[in-house]
Amino acid sequence: MFFRDRDWHPAAYTPGYKTSMTRAPHRALVAMGSTLSEETGPAFGHSMIGELDNNLVMNFTGQPAIGERIIMHGRVLDENGRGVPGVLVEMWQANAGGRYRHKKDGYLAPLDPNFGGCGRTLTGPDGSYEFLTVRPGAYPWPNHVNNWRPMHIHWSIFGSGFGQRLITQNYFQGDPLIDLCPIVNTIGKQEAIDVLVAALDMNRAIPMDCLAYKFDIVLRGRRQSFFENRKEGM
Amino acid sequence: MVQRLDYLKETPSQTAGPYVHIGLVPNALGNPGIYPEDLGRSPILPGAKGEPITLTGRVIDGAGMILRDALFESWQADAAGIYPGNDPRGTADPKVTGWARVAADFDSGIWRLDTIKPGRVPFPDGRLMAPHIAVWLVARGINLGLQTRIYFEDEAEANAQCPVLARIEHVERRATLLARKTGPGAYEIDFRLQGEGETVFFDM
């Protein structure tokens, strides 16, 4: 498996995001090539995916959620640029007012009785995925006294190996809160932040129905194992 | 000039945040009605071959606080050391799915994993690794999922031969990966994110 570029990912210890200060390991990671334990991983089948699992507008009560209707779509690729088919994509988010359906969220914005806030799907043969949802609202959080998270959706993606496992968040084109967010800014490179910003995609919008945003997700690449399998090559 | 390496960059990670349960274990959170059941409730089905074991523990931060919002996933081989799914060496015990999603208890912070002890799996050069369970840990404040492993203190001989444990230069830190046996089939291990007794985390 390709090595992770840890200068591209956020560092563990990022004081601007206060919770990281006590949850970041102080010792260096122990580095080595991946083994079968990282190259293999769980597989998921269509039998476990319900018909409305990727429709957050309707999947909670069957009545439509309130908010800006959007399609979130894109492809799951690996670093070789190949679509990754048949992998599980899960996502969760706040409602249009920035309130999560979670017992620990005490924000004063109300819950939407028809919005649960989670979805899942399997990628198609070309690695593509699609969700219908409402655009989540920004919300305040206790970090510095006046920090607000930009609008975002959380994403959890499986590859074909456990070592590809990734959780991330997408942001939305044009949101002025992106630049101000300490969690976004745990990422040191602007170029890396930019790839988390989903672009407005008018080609996928449905007139008089919903807008669309495109968000591609790239997992660690896998290399050919020819030399690795040759014992004399060690 | 040289040829361009046209690789894409991996999507940068972001923290799972405090509300990761909404997406990954909604039923355990108390949000029923979307999925019939949460994924990864158990890595085994009834009848799985091998020694049944129960692992429990906590995730502890650098200030000694027990995390109530941590979640990890585990991935393991069957009792013969074969991984389910896409292991090139063969087919695993059909009663072993290998993967589990484990959330800390919202009140106590204690997590629990009921499984079977995995068999030994070869390192790329053919040497056997000691029995272990791969762990990927996320939570609020963790920017990139932490990779670690659970080994077993009562596998001393296999542990002594494990090429991965051998890579841990600070020998005394290897013990942070060993689950302590507390009774028949019962093991305990805490993940310490930072400071004294800090768990070994891998880049692999």
Side-chain angles (χ1 to χ4, degrees), chain A residues 28-231:
Chain A
L29 301 179
V30 174
M32 75 186 72
S34 53
T35 75
L36 270 172
S37 305
E38 292 73 40
E39 305 278 350
T40 57
F44 302 95
H46 285 277
S47 59
M48 58 163 234
I49 303 286
E51 202 180 325
L52 288 177
D53 281 4
N54 68 340
N55 181 343
L56 283 74
V57 171
M58 298 298 286
N59 73 6
F60 192 50
T61 61
Q63 296 298 309
I66 290 171
E68 180 186 340
R69 295 163 58 86
I70 59 168
I71 289 171
M72 287 298 303
H73 78 102
R75 291 177 73 202
V76 176
L77 307 157
D78 70 13
E79 290 173 282
N80 295 300
R82 291 189 285 247
V84 189
V87 296
L88 180 66
V89 178
E90 298 165 285
M91 51 87 102
W92 69 98
Q93 62 170 89
N95 68 22
R99 173 77 182 270
Y100 284 98
R101 187 171 290 279
H102 192 293
K103 53 191 173 191
K104 301 283 187 192
D105 187 359
Y107 183 35
L108 51 77
L111 287 170
D112 176 343
N114 296 318
F115 188 72
C118 66
R120 63 187 182 187
T121 193
L122 293 176
T123 58
D126 60 350
S128 61
Y129 74 84
E130 179 177 74
F131 290 90
L132 179 68
T133 187
V134 296
R135 190 147 73 141
Y139 59 84
W141 60 299
N143 189 58
H144 304 299
V145 289
N146 195 22
N147 277 143
W148 292 72
R149 294 302 324 281
M151 301 178 280
H152 64 276
I153 296 173
H154 296 264
W155 298 87
S156 168
I157 310 100
F158 287 80
S160 48
F162 195 58
Q164 291 173 294
R165 200 72 183 80
L166 181 71
I167 274 185
T168 190
Q169 305 178 27
N170 88 277
Y171 306 100
F172 291 88
Q173 180 180 358
D175 185 344
L177 289 169
I178 296 171
D179 291 345
L180 306 180
C181 177
I183 289 178
V184 173
N185 288 317
T186 59
I187 300 172
K189 294 185 166 139
Q190 186 60 44
E191 193 189 349
I193 292 172
D194 291 344
V195 301
L196 295 183
V197 182
L200 180 68
D201 183 358
M202 294 307 290
N203 287 335
R204 279 294 282 273
I206 302 175
M208 307 307 287
D209 183 337
C210 61
L211 279 170
Y213 285 86
K214 184 162 197 280
F215 180 55
D216 285 342
I217 298 163
V218 180
L219 300 176
R220 291 172 74 180
R222 298 173 75 90
R223 50 185 177 176
Q224 292 191 351
S225 56
F226 180 65
F227 290 106
E228 287 174 276
N229 289 341
R230 286 171 43 169
K231 282 193 176 149

Side-chain angles (χ1 to χ4, degrees), chain B residues 74-103:
Chain B
S74 65
W75 176 239
Q76 67 171 89
D78 69 8
I82 303 289
Y83 279 104
N86 52 352
D87 190 321
R89 298 167 302 147
T91 306
D93 177 353
K95 302 293 189 190
V96 174
T97 57
W99 175 73
R101 194 168 255 174
V102 184

Side-chain angles (χ1 to χ4, degrees), chain A residues 5 17 37 165 168 171 218, chain B residues 9 11-12 14 73 83 132 141:
Chain A
D5 180 352
Y17 175 25
S37 305
R165 200 72 183 80
T168 190
Y171 306 100
V218 180
Chain B
K9 296 293 287 183
T11 297
Q14 292 272 263
E73 292 179 2
Y83 279 104
H132 66 275

